[in-house]
Amino acid sequence: MLASREHRAERLQDRAEQARAAAVRLSSEGSSMAEAIPFGQPILVGHHSEKRDRAYRESIRAKFAKANAEYCKADELERRAEAAANNTAIYSDDPDAVQAIDEKLAKMKAERETYKKIIALIRKNDQAGLLELLKTPEAVAKVLTPDCFGGIGIQSFTLTNLGANIRRLEKRRAELVTLKATGKTERMVGEVRVVEDPDIARIQLFYPGKPDQATRDNLKRWGFRWAPSEGAWQRNLNNAGRYAAKRVLGAN
């Protein structure tokens, strides 16, 4: 999964570079066209050249507008590439998702224990203990600096939120373990092959040919997306995905 994220970041960066190159080219073409017009030369209203001159100037304006759009596109693609490269989310279709969740849970639980120790040491006014725990005077000073509400140390809502996130992740882990423990299944509903693949956490619909427009619209309405690499319409494998498949296929 890490490799796929890296590939996504690379693809986005490539598209960003292509967009920026197009922007430079369009801007250069617009500038070259503009140089053909004498500086300060107005449109000669009523002259036989008026229509041609207006069309030429509109072409220049369009070039610069397209260049600006490509610059904006490049900026957005670069932002998405950076986000993809820095993405640490855990995806269900990652073969190592359970291990990744375990590692994340371990860090979160260790963080929670550290927070509890900080709270206890602050209550005891044990600055020596804080220094031993946090290692540097700067870190101690930071936890003892009042926040915008005048509180110091670790606030109760921080522990509450962290505990809630741990419980949410533990629930997701249990669901993922159950999902991946089930085997891959296939069945036919009419001419459509329905595949439930826990390894990639997807329910897939394989049509014998390209579905008509109405069917494609219905698939999208129920959350299915076309996956060219799989040759299937698919969405997340869960109860909602199974229900959506039944609705699309008209199955009971």
Side-chain angles (χ1 to χ4, degrees):
M1 182 54 62
L2 177 59
S4 66
R5 293 178 196 174
E6 292 174 345
H7 290 158
R8 172 174 168 75
E10 290 173 359
R11 289 195 301 270
L12 288 167
Q13 187 60 47
D14 287 343
R15 289 173 58 194
E17 291 173 0
Q18 291 169 12
R20 199 167 296 283
V24 171
R25 175 179 56 77
L26 288 164
S27 181
S28 177
E29 290 174 358
S31 296
S32 296
M33 291 173 68
E35 289 175 358
I37 302 175
F39 181 74
Q41 174 67 52
I43 294 175
L44 302 177
V45 178
H47 192 268
H48 66 83
S49 64
E50 179 184 354
K51 184 176 180 179
R52 184 175 65 254
D53 192 13
R54 287 188 184 278
Y56 186 78
R57 292 174 191 246
E58 174 59 24
S59 295
I60 295 173
R61 186 205 65 77
K63 288 279 187 184
F64 284 120
K66 289 180 180 179
N68 184 63
E70 289 294 329
Y71 277 124
C72 292
K73 180 180 177 181
D75 289 342
E76 173 61 14
L77 287 167
E78 286 178 347
R79 183 195 66 76
R80 290 170 57 190
E82 182 177 0
N86 296 328
N87 185 11
T88 59
I90 300 171
Y91 294 97
S92 299
D93 57 350
D94 185 343
D96 300 320
V98 174
Q99 179 182 344
I101 289 177
D102 285 340
E103 292 173 356
K104 190 170 184 177
L105 277 171
K107 290 180 181 179
M108 293 170 70
K109 289 179 179 179
E111 184 179 25
R112 181 171 61 180
E113 290 307 308
T114 298
Y115 286 168
K116 288 180 178 179
K117 290 178 182 178
I118 290 173
I119 292 171
L121 290 168
I122 289 176
R123 285 175 178 170
K124 296 177 183 178
N125 195 27
D126 186 352
Q127 295 202 25
L130 283 171
L131 181 59
E132 182 180 356
L133 177 66
L134 300 177
K135 307 304 181 185
T136 67
E138 292 77 13
V140 173
K142 184 176 180 180
V143 298
L144 295 178
T145 300
D147 60 21
C148 58
F149 301 107
I152 62 171
I154 308 301
Q155 301 305 308
S156 59
F157 64 82
T158 300
L159 274 178
T160 300
N161 291 341
L162 184 56
N165 287 332
I166 288 173
R167 290 191 295 275
R168 175 189 57 78
L169 204 54
E170 287 175 334
K171 180 181 178 182
R172 185 182 174 203
R173 182 192 186 282
E175 292 172 345
L176 197 56
V177 168
T178 300
L179 175 65
K180 290 187 178 293
T182 62
K184 182 177 180 180
T185 64
E186 296 188 18
R187 65 183 185 277
M188 296 297 297
V189 178
E191 295 183 334
V192 180
R193 182 163 59 97
V194 182
V195 175
E196 294 187 13
D197 191 341
D199 288 335
I200 60 172
R202 295 290 185 271
I203 182 168
Q204 301 174 308
L205 306 183
F206 292 85
Y207 285 80
K210 184 177 181 180
D212 59 34
Q213 186 62 55
T215 300
R216 297 199 302 273
D217 290 342
N218 197 37
L219 282 161
K220 293 175 183 177
R221 184 166 71 88
W222 284 100
F224 284 89
R225 295 293 177 264
W226 173 247
S229 61
E230 297 286 333
W233 290 84
Q234 63 182 25
R235 58 168 289 169
N236 288 341
L237 175 56
N238 48 35
N239 288 335
R242 294 185 180 101
Y243 177 76
K246 289 181 178 180
R247 297 297 295 176
V248 167
L249 299 172
N252 295 322

